[in-house]
Amino acid sequence: MDYVTMNILESTMVSICREMGITLMKTSYSTIFNEALDFTCGLADLNGDMIAVADYCPAQIGGMPLLVKSCLKEIPASELEEGDVILHNDPYRGGLHTPEHTFFKPIFVSGELVGFAVAIGHIAEVGGMAPGGFCGEATEIFQEGLRVPPVKIKKRGQDNVEVWKLLLANVRTPRVNYGDLRALIAAVDLGEKGMRGVYEKYGLETVRRNVSDLLLYSERRMQAEIEALPDGIYPFSDIIESDGIDAERHYPIEVEVHVRGGEIVVDYTGSAPQAAGPINATLGVATSAAYNAVLHMTDATIPRNSGCFRPIRVVAPPGTIVNVDFPAPSVGGNTETHPRLVGAILGAMAPVAPDRVMAAEGATHCNFVFGGVDAETQEFFACYDLEGVGWGGRSFADGNDGVDSINGNCRITPVEVYETRFPWRIESLAFNVDSGGAGAHRGGLGYTKQMLCLNDVIVCSQMTDRHLFAPWGLAGGGEGGCGATLVQNAGRDDWRTMPEVYGKASTSRYSNVAIRRGDRVRLVTPGGGGYGDPGERSAEALARDVREGYVSETASRRLYGAGGGSE
């Protein structure tokens, strides 16, 4: 291996991917792109293997190789021409969930196909029965929005007008969707141009040889990381609360992590049969979750590409919550089930890798989606809004407070932007005191976002979790706080749940409730579990928690056996 050239090329390709993401952010229309950064940009070789990616969404990073390979099965390389751009969002064709749209553009050098520029982004409005793309009560994939098999949205550099018409006729916000789709195309255009320049500068054979070496280098480094773990079979179980259809039925996740030499096999056998509601994960999601968990346990300097995934294998029985069969719904699998799978894998490895894992995080994106006709402009609006949670405590540090769940790496939308773009007033946004699980290292805090409706009506739906089952602690740590969604109707003083106000089956998964002018909505996000015996938390750390309002005096005495006096 020529390590110097290989590292120069790797850094160059990652920089191209980052520039693709910046272009997408700067040119997109919706807040989920230009504020939350819910997208990922990468490069793939001729086989569809990911050769470089920027530091965006872990769920999409892990799902990218299968997505590109699935597209190439339906539109083979022999049918691709310069200037083509392929679009795809079908969960049953290697996709993650319906809102996730994948664009890839072939890269030609001197007339020869050499690879692909790839962008994956979460489109906020995809049609279906609920504005914003998250129907918490869907019972089939057709209710979750328009499914697009791999199609050419551009042919030889020209728009495929018929495809554009079909896409924009099936959504509530065609102008915003048009802008976001154009932004994704701009990203792959930039990636194609940048990578073509790399090939022209270094030559085809030099780049191919070094990319092959780079994948092998990542594979060997990942193998070395896994070899440092003791061989064995490590099980763990968790439970996902109701699917939005049957509030009394819950869904177990069973994981066995097999470590053998330089290989890890993640076996989900024993997990619940697929649900009637939209919490099912596709095979791409289950695979991406395994990759995500292993990447969190290993050296962060290993180049992220398909090579580092080679030592990781996944067993996901069809017809289960981790490998759903058509035509069951799956929109929540990518946002809610994925982080729960990651958490279960980390929990399984806790006994043998205690310094590489954390207690349970909040494991939800909150996924509060809404739409309606703006009373002032008479234009339809739609939004996919995600929130942060508390992360789990670790053997060496407290959990992070109020950040996106482990598979997202996204930002929350600033209050000023939220109120400017949508008819809500954010009345409060504050951490939840005592929501971090007690421990020698406490869990991170969730927070509460309270909103006042300023429109005649806003139609709201949600796909969230952890309202019933609290995030678990590790090594004697306590549970994190649960989440909640509450409504205060205009003229009332009390706060009630969705089942109490609208007769919904679930407090955490529902669709199409009418929030009217003067109503308030309160989103409470879960905290993270604690790590270690709370009695071992230092007096200085506990005093700081109480002084800064993270832990109350009452909880300090009840959970830690000490008051929060001065340091």
Side-chain angles (χ1 to χ4, degrees):
M1 292 182 181
D2 178 354
Y3 286 100
V4 174
T5 303
M6 184 183 73
N7 277 281
I8 291 173
L9 282 173
E10 199 264 338
S11 298
T12 301
M13 292 189 298
V14 171
S15 293
I16 291 171
C17 296
R18 288 174 178 155
E19 290 176 2
M20 292 168 67
I22 292 170
T23 297
L24 207 168
M25 176 185 70
K26 295 291 188 180
T27 59
S28 58
Y29 282 32
S30 64
T31 56
I32 194 59
F33 283 163
N34 50 47
E35 297 294 341
L37 310 184
D38 193 353
F39 55 77
T40 291
C41 299
L43 298 167
D45 66 11
L46 193 57
N47 299 317
D49 286 318
M50 185 175 69
I51 60 175
V53 69
D55 300 324
Y56 292 114
C57 293
Q60 297 164 352
I61 291 172
M64 187 178 293
L66 182 59
L67 281 164
V68 178
K69 290 176 184 290
S70 297
C71 288
L72 290 174
K73 286 183 178 180
E74 296 199 38
I75 303 181
S78 60
E79 297 179 11
L80 296 174
E81 300 176 275
E82 291 193 52
D84 288 350
V85 177
I86 309 302
L87 164 65
H88 164 240
N89 84 324
D90 189 351
Y92 286 103
R93 286 178 163 91
L96 302 175
H97 62 176
T98 307
E100 224 83 278
H101 286 55
T102 299
F103 285 72
F104 76 101
K105 184 175 185 179
I107 302 168
F108 286 85
V109 176
S110 301
E112 181 180 354
L113 179 63
V114 296
F116 306 94
V118 187
I120 306 174
H122 185 120
I123 298 294
E125 164 54 31
V126 292
M129 65 183 289
F134 273 82
C135 177
E137 299 168 313
T139 56
E140 57 182 7
I141 190 70
F142 308 108
Q143 297 168 331
E144 295 185 329
L146 179 66
R147 287 165 53 232
V148 184
V151 294
K152 293 184 179 182
I153 193 170
K154 295 188 75 171
K155 292 183 176 181
R156 301 181 186 176
Q158 301 299 313
D159 285 344
N160 189 341
V161 177
E162 287 79 9
V163 170
W164 278 102
K165 288 180 178 179
L166 184 64
L167 292 172
L168 300 179
N170 283 277
V171 295
R172 299 169 177 86
T173 55
R175 183 182 67 85
V176 174
N177 282 56
Y178 180 83
D180 287 343
L181 296 174
R182 284 292 184 198
L184 285 157
I185 292 173
V188 295
D189 283 347
L190 187 149
E192 182 264 344
K193 179 180 179 181
M195 199 59 194
R196 183 157 32 85
V198 169
Y199 275 98
E200 291 171 350
K201 178 178 180 179
Y202 291 96
L204 289 177
E205 291 308 312
T206 297
V207 175
R208 284 171 174 163
R209 183 178 65 254
N210 279 275
V211 165
S212 177
D213 288 345
L214 177 63
L215 297 180
L216 181 59
Y217 173 74
S218 292
E219 178 182 5
R220 288 176 175 174
R221 287 194 59 186
M222 181 61 74
Q223 286 175 335
E225 289 283 302
I226 297 171
E227 286 171 355
L229 300 170
D231 286 358
I233 300 174
Y234 307 104
F236 197 86
S237 300
D238 203 353
I239 300 176
I240 297 178
E241 64 193 49
S242 73
D243 63 351
I245 307 301
D246 184 350
E248 303 301 321
R249 184 177 178 184
H250 309 300
Y251 296 82
I253 293 172
E254 300 291 341
V255 172
E256 280 189 348
V257 180
H258 298 241
V259 180
R260 183 179 55 212
E263 181 182 66
I264 278 183
V265 177
V266 176
D267 187 351
Y268 298 114
T269 300
S271 295
Q274 66 188 47
I279 60 172
N280 302 298
T282 64
L283 178 60
V285 169
T287 302
S288 177
Y291 295 162
N292 189 0
V294 176
L295 289 178
H296 272 86
M297 291 189 292
T298 51
D299 190 339
T301 66
I302 299 174
R304 275 28 178 171
N305 55 50
S306 288
C308 68
F309 298 153
R310 289 171 182 168
I312 308 166
R313 295 195 294 127
V314 174
V315 177
T320 66
I321 198 170
V322 296
N323 188 0
V324 62
D325 280 339
F326 180 85
S330 61
V331 69
N334 194 43
T335 62
E336 308 303 293
T337 305
H338 178 131
R340 298 298 288 276
L341 297 178
V342 174
I345 296 168
L346 297 181
M349 297 306 296
V352 293
D355 295 333
R356 299 188 179 199
V357 303
M358 65 177 176
E361 50 126 353
T364 178
H365 296 274
C366 213
N367 299 315
F368 183 70
V369 301
F370 55 85
V373 177
D374 191 294
E376 294 185 3
T377 66
Q378 294 302 305
E379 290 189 5
F380 201 98
F381 62 89
C383 176
Y384 165 49
D385 183 40
L386 53 79
E387 304 295 341
V389 297
W391 277 33
R394 294 154 286 177
S395 66
F396 54 89
D398 293 343
N400 298 320
D401 303 308
V403 295
D404 194 24
S405 187
I406 197 168
N407 62 325
N409 201 28
C410 298
R411 310 184 305 195
I412 67 170
T413 300
V415 168
E416 296 82 359
V417 175
Y418 201 92
E419 292 182 335
T420 301
R421 295 286 300 272
F422 307 110
W424 294 100
R425 179 181 300 144
I426 310 301
E427 296 184 315
S428 64
L429 184 65
F431 284 133
N432 302 324
V433 180
D434 297 333
S435 59
H441 299 287
R442 67 162 173 79
L445 272 60
Y447 59 81
T448 295
K449 180 178 180 179
Q450 183 171 307
M451 303 177 290
L452 173 67
C453 178
L454 302 179
N455 207 51
D456 293 338
V457 63
I458 301 178
V459 178
C460 301
S461 304
Q462 193 173 26
M463 167 65 66
T464 186
D465 203 18
R466 297 288 199 197
H467 283 192
L468 302 178
F469 299 107
W472 37 265
L474 281 177
E479 293 181 338
C482 284
T485 301
L486 303 169
V487 177
Q488 184 187 72
N489 294 120
R492 295 181 64 114
D493 296 327
D494 56 333
W495 292 89
R496 297 179 292 166
T497 65
M498 291 296 168
E500 291 170 335
V501 180
Y502 299 100
K504 296 298 183 180
S506 170
T507 66
S508 57
R509 318 186 200 283
Y510 57 87
S511 58
N512 293 334
V513 301
I515 303 297
R516 303 187 183 279
R517 188 181 298 273
D519 291 348
R520 289 177 168 86
V521 176
R522 181 179 286 174
L523 304 176
V524 182
T525 72
Y531 193 105
D533 182 355
E536 296 179 1
R537 187 163 182 79
S538 72
E540 292 79 10
L542 186 57
R544 185 172 61 250
D545 283 344
V546 173
R547 185 180 66 249
E548 295 183 358
Y550 293 162
V551 177
S552 67
E553 279 277 5
T554 300
S556 173
R557 298 183 185 279
R558 177 172 56 87
L559 299 175
Y560 293 93
S566 61
E567 295 182 31

